[in-house]
Amino acid sequence: FAFLHQKVCWTATAERGFISPRGHATARHFFRIDLTGDVLKEAQLMLSYARAELEDAREEAARGVDSGLWYRVVTESEDGIGLRETPALEAKRSEDLQKGSVFEVDKVIEAEGKPTFLRLKDGSGWVFDLSPVDPETPTVERLEEFVYKGKTVAEWEVQVELLQSNLDEIRGAGKR
């Protein structure tokens, strides 16, 4: 399996031996140990998928489709922001959403002088925004741009560029 994070970071199954100590490696590292060509095929597949998603995102945005109410975690906390079972700061914390995570909301609870609570549309819980209480310490930000499958069109464009760069690197490493 492979994923994108900041730069293109690849991870594969332990059986295939593609996992580095931190779970990240460059295309060049993979090429040296990929004797079957699977990394090249997977890179091509991922790029094709991302291009299709970008095209779909652009089409949906052009049609003016409402993408819902989306937020991104912006807290500076190392743990991210806690996902809670109920809309209360003291509620049981079920998991954390890391900085940069994007999520869709289906309910917002606002009260003057208190944090705003946001219920995740997928039903996994509630997060809070401290901006109403402390504008200098936001925990989330509302995304005003169109969001398609958890990413803005600009983020899909960046992903396509990074995947293309990674594919070019794999192809270049193969010529050596």
Side-chain angles (χ1 to χ4, degrees), residues 70-74 103 129 131 138-144:
W70 291 85
Y71 287 81
R72 176 181 288 125
V73 177
V74 295
F103 56 94
D129 179 17
S131 297
T139 49
V140 297
E141 68 178 354
R142 171 123 189 251
L143 297 177
E144 300 297 333

Side-chain angles (χ1 to χ4, degrees), residues 113-134:
K114 296 189 178 199
T116 299
F117 285 90
L118 310 164
R119 183 173 66 190
L120 277 66
K121 187 174 182 179
D122 67 6
S124 60
W126 294 80
V127 296
F128 58 88
D129 179 17
L130 292 176
S131 297
V133 179
D134 183 5

